[in-house]
Amino acid sequence: MIDWNTTTAFETASAVAKGEVSAREVAEAALRRIEALEPRISALLTVTADRALETADAIDARRSAGEALPPLAGVPVAVKANMAVRGVETNCASKILKGWKPPYTATVPGLLEDAGAVFVGTANMDEFAMGSSTENSAYQVTHNPWDTERVPGGSSGGSAAAVAAGEALMATGSDTGGSIRQPASYCGVVGMKPTYGRISRFGLVAFASSLDQIGPITRDVRDAALMMNVIARHDPRDSTSADIPAPDYLSALTGDVRGLRIGRPAEFFVEGIQPEVRNAIDAAFAKYEELGAQVVDVSLPYVKYAMPAYYIIAPCEASSNLARYDGVRYGHRTGDDLDMIQMFMRTRREGFGPEVKRRIMIGTYALSSGYYDAWYRKAQQVRTLIRRDFDRVFEQCDVLLTPTAPATAFRIGEKVDDQFQMYLEDVCTIPVNLAGLPGLSVPCGSAEGMPVGMQLIGRHFEEDVLLKAGHAFEQATEWGRRLAPIAREVSE
Amino acid sequence: MPILTPDDVRKIALLARLEMTEDEVAIYAGQLDGILGHLAELQALDTADVPPTSHSVGGKNVTRADEPRASLNPDDVVAGGPSVEGHFFVVPQIVDV
Amino acid sequence: MSDTRYEAVVGMEVHAELRTKSKMFCGCANAFGGDANTQTCPVCLGLPGSLPVPNRRAIELVVRTSLALNCSITSPTIFHRKNYFYPDLPKAYQISQYDDPIGQHGYVDFTVNGEPKRVRIRRVHLEEDTGKLFHNPGDVSSHVDYNRCGVPLMEVVSEPDIHSADEAREYLVALRNILVYLGVSDGKMEEGSFRAEPNISVRPVGTDILSTRTELKNLNSFRVVYRGIDAELARQVAMIERGEPVVQCTLRWDEATGTTIPMRYKESEADYRYFPDPDLIPLEFDSAFVEEQRSALPELPRAKSERFQSQYGLSAYDADVLTADRETADYFEEVATACGNPKAAANWVTGELARVLNAGNLTITQTRIPSAGLAELIKLIEDGVISGTIAKMVFESMFNEGKTARHVVEEKGLTQVTDTGAIDAIVDEVIAANPSEAARYRAGEEKLLGFFVGQVMKLSRGKANPGMANEAVKRKLGG
């Protein structure tokens, strides 16, 4: 039997492979925990119990037949509800895709299942990944397991909450402006957004095509490396997928960061940062120096324009990506009897929530005739300037260390009425997506009982360096592998 | 002087096929104008001679060979379609031929 | 348009479906006529999460076409999204090209009524086709089939260098021919694999005051293109004469009334919000690649026609007819080379062969007479084995029964009679049978020569050598 409060995906997979526990036992335990915890956190939109047990049984049969098991065999995984899984409702937490069961499976869930992962359910999210709190879900609000009156962050809030509460041992998230890292930080778990192009986007329902990337949300850094080993590969079905071989990320976890140059970028330490967050990050810098790393102060002057650039570019791409939801081929169609144009208009009115509509309209405006140069083109030029800032800084250091978010998780309902306040949640994470760089959030502190996360930013395709740095910190401190107290309340 | 007027919002909503009541037009106009106000600071930046980043990764000539592959079963194509007849999707008639 | 006070200013937009095996951005088959939605997949259906990957062959074909149209090749080039809502467009955007099309600044040379004409090509670009809508008359709904959605489509846009319906038609004929020669398109207007959309305005001769442009769509044959443009020009002139402004609109040709009828009134208000497609990576063509495509170009129609004129001494008219399609040109050349008589080869191919093919609604690839067979027939005539008249009969047999010339001649005993004695004997018989005509000839009615020769041919069942028969009659009738 495994101890849910202390185990990891890596350890569970190992136990299953050795026959110390059956995949079925693990799956049943996960489903029991889900049943106990869901009423309190509502992290999952669909629980795929039958599929989980079938998969688990198949793994156990393979093991009995003497086969060697693949690396994730028996590990319960939650999949964010914007990644197509054949036959499973993939609704992106939107009414407009209510009931949609894709006739195909996205590349990443496919790789995970081939690796033996046991899907326990689809994770709640902000509608079409637009949001920073998961409050924009059209179906339910997810509660932060550390304090159920607070948000889990977003848009991958369901994924982070599921891992933090121990409903699953791993989850997939997607990150366009911080949607993996920020909820990981709020829920005290590890979350990584890989380099743009490192992970296939085929089957990931697009929000902003030049920014979206899938990544792991896990209990510790080694588990993130484990998932990266499974999903980081070239996909010929995705033109933006990099044809660059991935290293073995597990072997990067040497614990040795001597000589690592860690940049401290001034512009990320904004005025409004919560003092405890500031303190935790300062302590992290000190810890790294203890471990033999070298801290370098650097500056990225254009980073302060990352927010406005992002909130033009992402809505522009989204306005185009979401135009296909017209009620003709799948999902919701208005029940009213109307002509073609009106049918489209009312279907989309009924199917989309207000934040999605706002972003579609901003994007439509910024791309429209007469405004394209001043808004979209301008934002893409600023993006180049931000990228150049990072390129320059990475000549002086190997990774950057920043807060993941300016504060810890806020209360549910606290920011829904002020869009721009909500947008400021992502001020530390957005620049990373604009530059296409990899970013890793690792728990590094606590403020009034709520987790604090730190963000490591690396050069393109140097996820191994990030994982090494994050793992070394985790090994040297007490912040890793802490489950939310609620998780311990589940009796086995 | 607002960046975005209710009239602008009506045009954008039509272009984006989002039906809206007059009350909603007014509310969204206020919200969008507020957001755009924060974003407008970009326009003051001097970006002459800076190429726009239209593609996030480097690389060129990502193509595929001209080889046919299996298509979906038409039953799967129309499964879950809101209005279907045989293997066709059914839509309200468009006025112009 | 015959009104000489006004000049037509017409630009032509042509869309040609490319002859690839698979679609532009996915592996579904590129084939006409399948059952509804049997050639679709998540990508061409635009299902949530799907992504496009471009077809290399389609890109090559567009580069080749651009070279054949004398364009410069743009590198790097990218795809743009053209955003609009329509049920046949599942992503609600069409992947197309905007400001960096693959080919630019080219031209096509052709002739109109024997006069040379050049139309400049503004751009050649690559995009994807949409699905098809089927409207049911008397029904308030339409049906959508996405089999065609995602088929690679090439768009060729000309400058407004076309100044008459005639020029428009000849331009399309020439362009279509080039595309068929290249193997890029099958050029079937009636099937929709080659679509022409003229945009039309007029101006008083000698001025720059252009009327507003209108656009014509749904023209499914060259004849309809001609009639549609003609009608639209007349309509615009009439409006101008009445002092009415021409309104920008899209019109379709209505066969029943012979007029152009407005379709979507406010086309100009469509804002496509073009932006570079972030899902697709830029294309770069180095000079090695461009040269590779250039060397893959076949001899094009115009060059072939000119070569036929200089190499084989054919008239421009015959050369143009023979090069109107590549198979006919190749067939002719095989015949000419095998029999060594290009003029005779040209006559037979454009004459008798064309006649029987048209009558049977066949193309030259469907004939049962191989080029070597026709060459043999021509040689038999030249060698005097059969007469020209007999040859026509032999030809019919060859065409209908698939036999060789030699076989038919032997089987039916059609060898020409060239023996002087034999011919003399027939002439004697004819003269004896027609005494009064003989007398009239001897009295001076020399035009009766034709009558006698005709009788000799008839009696010999066409086998007498006409020249020898002619000489023998003259000799025997004296004079």
Side-chain angles (χ1 to χ4, degrees):
Chain A
M1 222 35 232
I2 53 170
D3 179 358
W4 276 86
N5 296 315
T6 58
T7 192
T8 63
F10 185 96
E11 286 159 16
T12 297
S14 175
V16 169
K18 289 183 200 154
E20 291 165 14
V21 68
S22 72
R24 175 121 197 166
E25 283 175 83
V26 176
E28 282 174 346
L31 292 170
R32 276 197 304 273
R33 294 182 64 85
I34 287 169
E35 208 181 309
L37 291 161
E38 273 299 283
R40 314 214 11 218
I41 65 171
S42 294
L44 303 176
L45 287 170
T46 306
V47 178
T48 51
D50 291 343
R51 191 189 188 106
L53 294 172
E54 263 174 54
T55 309
D57 287 344
I59 289 167
D60 288 332
R62 285 169 71 179
R63 189 168 190 285
S64 307
E67 280 177 45
L69 294 181
L72 291 181
V75 175
V77 173
V79 176
K80 187 174 180 180
N82 61 356
M83 298 175 204
V85 178
R86 192 190 165 100
V88 174
E89 181 165 338
T90 306
N91 60 35
C92 306
S94 177
K95 288 268 158 54
I96 215 163
L97 279 178
K98 186 172 167 62
W100 183 55
K101 294 186 180 177
Y104 76 106
T105 296
T107 297
V108 165
L111 289 169
L112 290 169
E113 263 194 330
D114 287 347
V118 173
F119 287 169
V120 292
T122 62
N124 195 22
M125 52 186 281
D126 283 298
E127 186 181 0
F128 284 110
M130 298 183 194
S132 308
S133 66
T134 309
E135 292 171 290
N136 290 333
S137 167
Y139 294 94
Q140 64 206 43
V141 172
T142 297
H143 302 255
N144 192 317
W146 292 83
D147 176 346
T148 54
E149 314 231 322
R150 295 180 182 270
V151 300
S155 61
S156 310
S159 302
V163 172
E167 287 182 340
L169 290 177
M170 288 175 143
T172 62
S174 71
D175 190 311
T176 305
S179 291
I180 286 175
R181 293 159 286 156
Q182 184 253 31
S185 160
Y186 276 16
C187 291
V189 292
V190 171
M192 167 172 254
K193 182 202 84 69
T195 309
Y196 183 85
R198 178 73 276 176
I199 313 287
S200 169
R201 290 186 299 119
F202 189 83
L204 169 68
V205 179
F207 158 18
S209 316
S210 76
L211 299 163
D212 295 342
Q213 212 34 206
I214 293 177
I217 294 178
T218 56
R219 284 191 176 188
D220 69 2
V221 175
R222 185 175 55 175
D223 279 358
L226 179 61
M227 187 187 279
M228 283 294 289
N229 274 0
V230 172
I231 66 176
R233 56 197 61 196
H234 172 59
D235 183 0
R237 292 186 297 177
D238 173 2
S239 297
T240 62
S241 166
D243 196 357
I244 296 173
D248 170 15
Y249 294 107
L250 284 170
S251 63
L253 308 180
T254 60
D256 181 8
V257 293
R258 286 170 301 171
L260 187 70
R261 297 170 302 165
I262 305 185
R264 176 166 43 209
E267 292 79 6
F268 281 76
F269 295 89
V270 296
E271 241 180 65
I273 290 191
Q274 188 178 342
E276 293 93 331
V277 172
R278 179 89 215 213
N279 294 339
I281 304 297
D282 286 343
F285 276 113
K287 177 57 69 178
Y288 273 114
E289 278 180 314
E290 246 181 69
L291 294 173
Q294 191 196 332
V295 176
V296 181
D297 280 299
V298 295
S299 170
L300 297 120
Y302 282 107
V303 146
K304 67 174 179 286
Y305 298 108
M307 283 279 296
Y310 172 84
Y311 276 103
I312 292 166
I313 294 168
C316 284
E317 294 180 4
S319 70
S320 176
N321 286 327
L322 269 64
R324 70 192 65 198
Y325 303 107
D326 57 14
V328 173
R329 292 160 296 284
Y330 42 80
H332 172 71
R333 183 193 291 200
T334 179
D336 298 334
D337 185 24
L338 300 164
D339 73 28
M340 186 84 265
I341 293 182
Q342 290 178 322
M343 185 280 262
F344 279 12
M345 294 190 69
R346 188 160 300 173
T347 291
R348 292 161 65 77
R349 174 223 175 78
E350 291 170 358
F352 287 139
E355 183 60 28
V356 168
K357 285 178 184 166
R358 274 190 290 270
R359 297 202 194 188
I360 288 175
M361 286 196 281
I362 289 180
T364 304
Y365 171 80
L367 285 174
S368 63
S369 174
Y371 297 103
Y372 178 93
D373 285 338
W375 292 92
Y376 182 74
R377 190 163 189 278
K378 190 78 173 180
Q380 293 284 41
Q381 288 175 304
V382 171
R383 185 176 182 175
T384 302
L385 293 172
I386 292 168
R387 166 80 182 260
R388 286 179 183 171
D389 266 0
F390 276 107
D391 286 345
R392 186 179 34 78
V393 151
F394 278 124
E395 285 166 19
Q396 305 159 48
C397 61
D398 306 307
V399 299
L400 300 172
L401 175 58
T402 78
T404 302
T408 54
F410 49 90
R411 306 194 107 72
I412 292 172
E414 191 179 315
K415 299 198 182 186
V416 282
D417 292 326
D418 186 339
Q419 286 85 45
F420 213 73
Q421 275 306 304
M422 187 69 88
Y423 295 168
L424 284 171
E425 280 298 303
D426 293 330
V427 69
C428 299
T429 49
I430 274 172
V432 181
N433 299 78
L434 287 175
L437 298 166
L440 173 70
S441 180
V442 171
C444 72
S446 178
E448 292 163 358
M450 294 306 293
V452 176
M454 70 180 187
Q455 173 178 237
L456 289 159
I457 305 170
R459 295 190 189 93
H460 292 108
F461 300 106
E462 288 192 1
E463 287 84 359
D464 53 340
V465 176
L466 291 185
L467 290 165
K468 177 167 75 168
H471 172 75
F473 178 86
E474 200 182 57
Q475 297 296 99
T477 65
E478 57 176 17
W479 298 114
R481 293 202 203 181
R482 290 164 68 235
L483 278 196
I486 195 180
R488 284 164 222 284
E489 293 169 27
V490 179
S491 54
E492 281 301 309
Chain B
M1 180 65 199
I3 298 176
L4 209 64
T5 63
D7 206 47
D8 292 326
V9 172
R10 274 183 218 104
K11 290 193 181 118
I12 292 168
L14 175 59
L15 202 49
R17 296 294 185 265
L18 292 170
E19 186 185 51
M20 228 160 256
T21 64
E22 276 310 299
D23 284 345
E24 286 167 333
V25 169
I27 293 172
Y28 279 117
Q31 292 175 347
L32 294 177
D33 187 65
I35 295 169
L36 286 173
H38 284 114
L39 308 181
E41 62 171 318
L42 279 192
Q43 297 183 6
L45 276 179
D46 177 14
T47 54
D49 300 329
V50 179
T53 297
S54 59
H55 293 88
S56 205
V57 279
K60 58 182 177 176
N61 297 339
V62 177
T63 58
R64 46 168 260 277
D66 182 26
E67 275 154 21
R69 299 239 178 283
S71 293
L72 283 176
N73 184 314
D75 292 335
D76 287 341
V77 173
V78 297
S83 180
V84 156
E85 204 173 293
H87 288 138
F88 285 96
F89 293 95
V90 179
V91 295
Q93 188 158 79
I94 302 91
V95 179
D96 263 316
V97 173
Chain C
M1 174 180 72
S2 51
D3 191 330
T4 51
R5 298 167 300 161
Y6 292 89
E7 178 181 47
V9 178
V10 177
M12 191 70 74
E13 214 175 274
V14 165
H15 287 91
E17 287 177 1
L18 297 178
R19 291 184 62 201
T20 57
K21 291 185 250 176
S22 61
K23 290 186 180 182
M24 184 63 219
F25 295 109
C26 67
C28 290
N30 175 6
F32 183 77
D35 286 340
N37 289 310
T38 54
Q39 289 161 214
T40 61
C41 76
V43 177
C44 55
L45 287 170
L47 295 187
S50 62
L51 291 172
V53 185
N55 183 326
R56 196 172 305 148
R57 178 102 185 127
I59 295 166
E60 285 170 3
L61 294 180
V62 173
V63 172
R64 280 187 209 176
T65 305
S66 301
L67 292 170
L69 298 179
N70 306 294
C71 294
S72 59
I73 303 297
T74 309
S75 179
T77 179
I78 62 172
F79 290 102
H80 277 80
R81 292 190 187 180
K82 178 181 182 182
N83 300 279
Y84 66 95
F85 288 86
Y86 211 64
D88 66 3
L89 190 66
K91 297 188 295 295
Y93 60 86
Q94 180 193 33
I95 299 177
S96 179
Q97 296 195 285
Y98 188 53
D99 46 20
D100 290 319
I102 290 176
Q104 301 188 66
H105 311 311
Y107 58 87
V108 179
D109 287 329
F110 54 101
T111 55
V112 185
N113 299 324
E115 292 301 309
K117 170 79 188 175
R118 170 174 289 192
V119 169
R120 292 166 302 160
I121 302 293
R122 179 178 298 170
R123 51 184 288 146
V124 179
H125 76 247
L126 180 53
E127 57 187 27
E128 53 174 351
D129 210 345
T130 61
K132 269 201 199 150
L133 283 164
F134 296 93
H135 306 286
N136 312 313
D139 193 350
V140 292
S141 65
S142 300
H143 287 176
V144 197
D145 170 19
Y146 296 103
N147 281 351
R148 192 183 70 176
C149 196
V151 163
L153 207 56
M154 176 172 63
E155 184 171 328
V156 180
V157 180
S158 81
E159 296 291 355
D161 292 345
I162 296 169
H163 298 302
S164 71
D166 258 334
E167 287 183 3
R169 183 180 48 201
E170 293 313 311
Y171 167 75
L172 288 175
V173 167
L175 178 62
R176 179 191 169 280
N177 208 9
I178 291 172
L179 298 189
V180 173
Y181 259 64
L182 289 171
V184 151
S185 164
D186 60 20
K188 294 186 181 169
M189 278 185 88
E190 69 287 359
E191 267 179 25
S193 66
F194 183 89
R195 302 170 214 159
E197 285 165 16
N199 52 71
I200 299 160
S201 53
V202 298
R203 67 179 163 212
V205 169
T207 73
D208 268 325
I209 309 164
L210 272 180
S211 67
T212 310
R213 270 180 4 192
T214 62
E215 204 183 338
L216 285 189
K217 282 190 194 280
N218 291 358
L219 308 171
N220 63 0
S221 71
F222 291 134
R223 184 186 134 274
V224 166
V225 167
Y226 179 91
R227 296 186 66 203
I229 292 176
D230 211 40
E232 179 58 13
L233 290 170
R235 185 186 79 94
Q236 288 199 15
V237 167
M239 287 181 80
I240 293 172
E241 291 284 293
R242 288 196 301 269
E244 285 172 38
V246 173
V247 178
Q248 178 169 26
C249 58
T250 304
L251 306 107
R252 63 174 182 85
W253 170 253
D254 186 64
E255 186 67 31
T257 58
T259 62
T260 56
I261 297 181
M263 291 173 64
R264 296 177 282 246
Y265 197 74
K266 289 184 189 272
E267 264 291 310
S268 59
E269 294 195 6
D271 182 352
Y272 296 119
R273 288 155 284 139
Y274 286 98
F275 70 100
D277 194 329
D279 289 329
L280 292 163
I281 304 299
L283 300 173
E284 280 175 36
F285 307 124
D286 60 21
S287 48
F289 172 83
V290 174
E291 282 324 299
E292 208 184 299
Q293 300 313 312
R294 199 189 298 278
S295 54
L297 295 180
E299 186 182 36
L300 293 173
R302 189 168 178 75
K304 198 183 281 287
S305 174
E306 279 164 13
R307 180 171 66 79
F308 280 9
Q309 290 171 55
S310 63
Q311 186 175 344
Y312 299 121
L314 301 184
S315 68
Y317 178 81
D318 278 348
D320 282 348
V321 168
L322 287 170
T323 56
D325 76 80
R326 195 170 161 187
E327 281 87 15
T328 303
D330 289 346
Y331 184 94
F332 155 76
E333 229 178 338
E334 285 163 22
V335 175
T337 308
C339 75
N341 187 342
K343 290 226 166 75
N347 287 342
W348 277 94
V349 173
T350 61
E352 285 299 299
L353 182 57
R355 185 181 62 76
V356 294
L357 288 174
N358 282 340
N361 219 0
L362 300 165
T363 65
I364 202 159
T365 52
Q366 295 166 303
T367 176
R368 293 167 79 176
I369 306 180
S371 52
L374 182 55
E376 187 185 41
L377 178 66
I378 292 171
K379 278 241 190 72
L380 289 179
I381 303 170
E382 275 190 2
D383 294 344
V385 174
I386 53 174
S387 67
T389 324
I390 292 289
K392 289 201 167 125
M393 279 171 50
V394 173
F395 180 84
E396 290 272 353
S397 291
M398 288 166 71
F399 187 81
N400 293 325
E401 298 158 39
K403 298 183 177 155
T404 68
R406 208 165 273 288
H407 189 146
V408 174
V409 167
E410 273 162 25
E411 197 182 56
K412 300 194 176 168
L414 297 173
T415 310
Q416 188 168 233
V417 176
T418 49
D419 174 63
T420 323
I423 291 182
D424 279 4
I426 297 172
V427 170
D428 288 339
E429 225 184 293
V430 167
I431 292 174
N434 300 280
S436 58
E437 285 81 1
R440 281 162 61 198
Y441 179 86
R442 288 187 178 117
E445 277 189 57
E446 289 185 359
K447 63 175 164 25
L448 284 172
L449 179 65
F451 165 76
F452 280 102
V453 173
Q455 289 299 303
V456 170
M457 297 306 292
K458 195 166 149 193
L459 200 55
S460 70
R461 273 176 286 126
K463 291 191 290 184
N465 181 307
M468 292 177 73
N470 197 300
E471 182 276 329
V473 166
K474 275 197 195 142
R475 187 171 23 90
K476 292 207 170 254
L477 285 176

